Amino acid sequence: MENNTLRINGQRLRESLETMAQIGATPGGGVQRLTLSDEDKQARDLFVKWLKELDLEITIDEMGNIFGRRPGKNNNLAPVMSGSHVDSQPKGGRFDGILGVMGPLEVLHTLHENNIETERPMVIVDWTNEEGSRFAPAMVSSGVWSGALERDWAYDRTDLAGNRFEDELIRIGYKGAEPCKAFPLHAYYEYHIEQGPMLEMEGKTIGAPKGILCLHWYDIYLDGTANQVGPTPMEGRNDALCAAAEMILAVNDLPERMGGNMVATVGEIQNYPNSRNIIPDKVHFTVDIRSWDDDLALAAWDKVQQDFVKIAEQRGCPIRCEETWRVNHQPFDQRLVERVLQSADMLGYSNLKMVSGAGHDASYVNHVAPTAMIFVPSIGGRSHVEVEATTWEDCEAGGNVLLHAMMESANESD
Ligand SMILES: [Zn+2]
């Protein structure tokens, strides 16, 4: 009970975030720390140095995940873990991922300087390649750790320059000896910026997602007939880009047609030969569908696929659709979700139970251990961009919620 007055050091948390933001800093005020790049290595080196200063027991596994363990009174009990990722999007922000690594680091620092022992050990983790922008897909190392993805398949992923994941892991010196395999966990908390506008809109400081939306990815390939644009009449054209344009709008209309409760996006398109005076004869685009309701997302895909076939027929453009990735919606451990909300209440922070539209490592950890997340507001709801920001007060508030949620879980004997 006397621990209720304990608080993290918000100034120190800010300094660690500002120091990390210098690694891969971009002129626009963001960071670029692509996974397994030299900047990723630099951030890891600094992280490991800070773990050593807190006398943590450090292990690095064969996917490059970095764990720092703080012993408890009873080291036979399963630990409480928290972490996120130090890698970033290209021209990404200074808070996505790194807040969830510096947050628990500050928690452990606070316990360390106050000589506070917990019943259970505590573990901090940096997951390799959460972003998936250099090596697709995302969350690959928590995926391997949880048993959802194969290690050797992950090793063979290549970036646009043809570099292999495993070779780059070796190059930066972070291919560890420890098998990448889930170990028993009593609880996992991931601290993260919201990356959306809900908390700001509702005027709340702390968010506790009840879970993560399902995520369905598809790739669409269209064929048309290339020809000189001048002499070819409009009638009888097989313009693959026009077909794609109609399809993209059909995707955009989908959530409304399905009755809301989902988002659907085309974020990537390639047009060939991409010349102003040739009718496009090949188009590739992506579809991303997310919902709390997996069946609704699948029904939406069925519906839009029928539209695609109709449009493709009308335009005389053969179509091929591939499912690329599917993660079912992930309800978190409701007891831990409530604990996050209660900790926020105890600390006097306004709070909101919500859902997470973005994927996180917590999604895969949730397969094997009781999991919850702590969100703090993103200013203007912006993320994955250089202007991404969260106030220092909110960073500190989330850190305090993490501290108390972790301590409470770590003092449970069963
Ligand atoms: Zn993230």
Side-chain angles (χ1 to χ4, degrees):
M1 264 305 160
E2 72 276 16
N3 278 339
N4 279 358
T5 55
L6 192 67
R7 298 291 181 273
I8 63 153
N9 182 333
Q11 182 58 29
R12 191 167 55 201
L13 174 60
R14 173 179 177 165
E15 280 162 18
S16 68
L17 286 164
E18 285 179 331
T19 306
M20 276 290 179
Q22 289 165 15
I23 302 175
T26 58
V31 295
Q32 177 154 321
R33 274 195 308 267
L34 296 182
T35 199
L36 309 184
S37 64
D38 293 348
E39 292 77 23
D40 186 10
K41 174 187 162 49
Q42 250 183 297
R44 287 162 176 268
D45 289 350
L46 180 58
F47 176 55
V48 167
K49 177 175 163 264
W50 284 342
L51 295 184
K52 283 184 185 154
E53 287 171 6
L54 296 180
D55 300 328
L56 302 177
E57 185 190 307
I58 300 166
T59 41
I60 298 167
D61 74 18
E62 55 194 351
M63 287 296 289
N65 298 321
I66 303 170
F67 300 89
R69 184 185 168 99
R70 182 176 197 265
K73 286 181 206 157
N74 185 347
N75 292 304
N76 296 321
L77 293 175
V80 172
M81 185 157 85
S82 180
S84 196
H85 56 101
V86 308
D87 71 326
S88 85
Q89 289 282 326
K91 286 196 179 169
R94 291 173 296 151
F95 296 87
D96 177 2
I98 196 69
L99 177 63
V101 183
M102 296 300 100
L105 184 75
E106 176 53 38
V107 166
L108 297 185
H109 209 142
T110 301
L111 297 179
H112 185 77
E113 71 186 354
N114 288 287
N115 294 312
I116 293 174
E117 262 196 306
T118 50
E119 281 302 317
R120 295 169 180 275
M122 282 191 182
V123 178
I124 179 172
V125 58
D126 164 37
W127 299 108
T128 300
N129 189 25
E130 192 277 341
E131 294 292 0
S133 43
R134 182 180 176 203
F135 297 95
M139 295 134 52
V140 76
S141 304
S142 54
V144 172
W145 184 83
S146 72
L149 301 175
E150 291 282 336
R151 183 199 67 183
D152 290 344
W153 175 83
Y155 277 170
D156 283 335
R157 300 302 91 205
T158 53
D159 65 8
L160 284 176
N163 299 303
R164 276 179 78 246
F165 183 98
E166 183 187 17
D167 297 340
E168 286 295 279
L169 193 56
I170 294 168
R171 183 186 70 82
I172 67 162
Y174 276 90
K175 187 184 171 189
E178 197 74 23
C180 180
K181 202 168 166 291
F183 44 81
L185 280 184
H186 184 60
Y188 177 75
Y189 292 101
E190 184 162 347
Y191 176 26
H192 208 280
I193 53 168
E194 181 199 346
Q195 305 185 281
M198 286 306 293
L199 289 173
E200 196 179 70
M201 276 163 52
E202 301 277 332
K204 306 286 190 194
T205 302
I206 299 295
K210 62 178 181 173
I212 300 184
L213 301 186
C214 76
L215 197 160
H216 296 189
W217 279 5
Y218 304 95
D219 281 86
I220 317 302
Y221 301 89
L222 282 164
D223 286 318
T225 310
N227 215 339
Q228 227 285 14
V229 299
T232 312
M234 297 308 289
E235 252 162 77
R237 286 188 180 191
N238 309 121
D239 186 324
L241 187 57
C242 285
E246 284 190 56
M247 292 174 188
I248 290 166
L249 291 178
V251 171
N252 186 65
D253 288 343
L254 204 50
E256 207 182 317
R257 286 162 63 201
M258 299 303 292
N261 193 18
M262 66 159 54
V263 287
T265 312
V266 174
E268 188 183 338
I269 182 165
Q270 277 103 32
N271 176 53
Y272 304 95
N274 211 28
S275 162
R276 71 175 70 211
N277 55 7
I278 303 176
I279 297 168
D281 72 339
K282 260 187 204 337
V283 171
H284 160 238
F285 68 92
T286 60
V287 177
D288 175 308
I289 300 177
R290 302 180 190 210
S291 174
W292 185 252
D293 183 339
D294 305 56
D295 293 336
L296 186 71
L298 285 176
W301 170 243
D302 270 354
K303 196 172 214 105
V304 84
Q305 224 183 341
Q306 287 167 23
D307 297 342
F308 285 1
V309 169
K310 216 159 77 193
I311 297 164
E313 261 170 35
Q314 281 162 359
R315 297 239 172 221
C317 295
I319 186 171
R320 183 163 58 84
C321 301
E322 275 177 15
E323 180 182 279
T324 315
W325 196 33
R326 188 198 296 181
V327 183
N328 289 340
H329 92 278
Q330 291 292 320
F332 287 146
D333 186 277
Q334 290 313 301
R335 216 170 63 90
L336 296 191
V337 173
E338 290 305 323
R339 174 160 298 160
V340 169
L341 294 167
Q342 282 157 12
S343 297
D345 278 338
M346 190 276 286
L347 291 155
Y349 302 132
S350 59
N351 51 78
L352 181 71
K353 197 168 177 178
M354 53 191 301
V355 294
S356 172
H360 296 287
D361 291 306
S363 177
Y364 279 129
V365 178
N366 190 48
H367 290 196
V368 293
T371 294
M373 291 188 77
I374 298 162
F375 280 175
V376 286
S378 294
I379 295 172
R382 305 283 308 277
S383 180
H384 283 186
V385 287
E386 289 172 298
V387 299
E388 172 188 282
T390 293
T391 66
W392 299 119
E393 292 73 26
D394 288 346
C395 290
E396 181 176 350
N400 280 322
V401 173
L402 180 66
L403 169 73
H404 286 281
M406 285 184 81
M407 273 203 307
E408 219 174 295
S409 288
N411 284 327
E412 283 176 331
S413 46
D414 55 32

